[in-house]
Amino acid sequence: MKKQRPVNLQLNTISFPPSAIVSILHRVTGVAMFFALIFVISAWAVSLTSAEGFDCVVECMNGVLGKLIAIGTISAFIYHLLGGLRHVVMDMGHWEELQSGNASAKAVIALWIVLTILVGVVLW
């Protein structure tokens, strides 16, 4: 049985529409938040052990790496929240057309970038 369909094995030539990128990033940020939760819970556990543990966590979070982890975690949460709200609106029957779906995807990405920069400025 011979199938006559095109096969594109070069992944770098595939261009995804904005709605696909937003959907994929929604899943990626969900996984990122899961792994960030490990850091958050361990920092919380260390901070509750003693006053020295609390001071150690505060010192780490005030360092460059701690701030980058905090900004990354909050950025992933913001994106996941915005993407989730977009999906909820789409589940209600809005933004399902090609143009409105791509426009809402671009809006989510733009709002995410603006809010991430704002969080970075506030935390730094």
Side-chain angles (χ1 to χ4, degrees):
M1 177 177 217
K2 188 174 182 182
K3 295 183 180 180
Q4 297 294 331
R5 58 182 197 177
V7 177
N8 185 2
L9 298 177
Q10 293 179 334
L11 295 179
N12 59 350
T13 63
I14 299 173
S15 63
F16 291 108
S19 55
I21 294 169
V22 168
S23 182
I24 292 167
L25 284 176
H26 181 74
R27 292 183 176 126
V28 168
T29 55
V31 173
M33 285 192 309
F34 174 77
F35 287 110
L37 194 59
I38 295 170
F39 172 76
V40 170
I41 290 173
S42 63
W44 178 60
V46 169
S47 71
L48 292 177
T49 57
S50 65
E52 292 81 19
F54 180 79
D55 292 338
C56 178
V57 170
V58 168
E59 182 180 328
C60 289
M61 291 306 294
N62 285 332
V64 173
L65 184 61
K67 289 182 181 182
L68 288 177
I69 290 173
I71 291 169
T73 302
I74 295 170
S75 176
F77 175 73
I78 289 170
Y79 185 84
H80 199 74
L81 179 68
L82 292 173
L85 290 174
R86 178 179 176 268
H87 281 289
V88 167
V89 171
M90 290 179 72
D91 287 342
M92 292 188 292
H94 305 287
W95 298 338
E96 292 181 335
E97 299 79 24
L98 183 61
Q99 287 183 340
S100 61
N102 285 336
S104 67
K106 291 175 184 177
V108 164
I109 291 173
L111 190 57
W112 171 55
I113 291 171
V114 168
L115 290 175
T116 298
I117 290 171
L118 183 66
V119 164
V121 169
V122 168
L123 287 182
W124 211 268

